[in-house]
Amino acid sequence: MIVRSRSEVACVDWGNGLSYRFLLRPDNMGFTVAHTTVRAGTKSRLQYRRHLEACYCIAGSGEVQTPDGSAFALRPGVLYALDQHDAHFLIAGPTQDLELISIFSPALRGDERHNLDPDGFSHYECAP
């Protein structure tokens, strides 16, 4: 059994926020669970090419937007899943950090960070 508190896990600055990564590849669960904070007022161009991600909003507000402009409001109790390695914009509201529980499959190593580039979609490169 694995039991961890937030104070026991590494905190990674992923680019526009923080990621507290509770389960990682060495835990042999096959997925990662992270508490992700997105800094208020930020817009991140993201795409995960080697894994899938689902995010459940637990605090704050914002939106997830497709490259063609379709936008979906995020608030506590809303989940979005990137089931097609979707390129997307993750936008936090202007006054409060957006907080998400993020699930990644396959699991992260733990040290991944985004290289946020205004001209392209950032991604994590995870070894198979």
Side-chain angles (χ1 to χ4, degrees):
M1 181 181 296
I2 300 168
V3 178
R4 295 188 176 122
S5 68
R6 194 165 104 164
S7 63
E8 297 173 304
V9 299
C11 178
V12 175
D13 186 331
W14 59 265
N16 274 345
L18 302 175
S19 179
Y20 296 88
R21 297 174 179 173
F22 285 83
L23 291 175
L24 295 167
R25 187 179 298 165
D27 294 314
N28 293 314
M29 294 290 295
F31 58 90
T32 287
V33 175
H35 180 166
T36 303
T37 301
V38 185
R39 290 186 187 99
T42 61
K43 181 176 183 177
S44 306
R45 296 170 61 103
L46 307 172
Q47 183 175 24
Y48 302 101
R49 294 180 178 97
R50 294 185 183 231
H51 57 272
L52 303 175
E53 182 191 28
C55 292
Y56 180 70
C57 182
I58 59 171
S61 65
E63 65 181 41
V64 61
Q65 189 179 85
T66 64
D68 69 4
S70 297
F72 305 91
L74 300 176
R75 62 186 180 287
V78 173
L79 175 136
Y80 69 93
L82 304 165
D83 62 337
Q84 301 293 314
H85 303 281
D86 311 80
H88 62 289
F89 298 94
L90 182 56
I91 304 163
T95 61
Q96 182 182 1
D97 290 348
L98 177 62
E99 292 188 50
L100 307 165
I101 299 300
S102 303
I103 310 296
F104 295 91
S105 176
L108 299 176
R109 290 185 315 264
D111 59 348
E112 294 88 350
R113 289 174 171 78
H114 286 281
N115 178 10
L116 298 173
D117 179 352
D119 298 323
F121 288 92
S122 172
H123 61 281
Y124 291 155
E125 285 293 337
C126 296

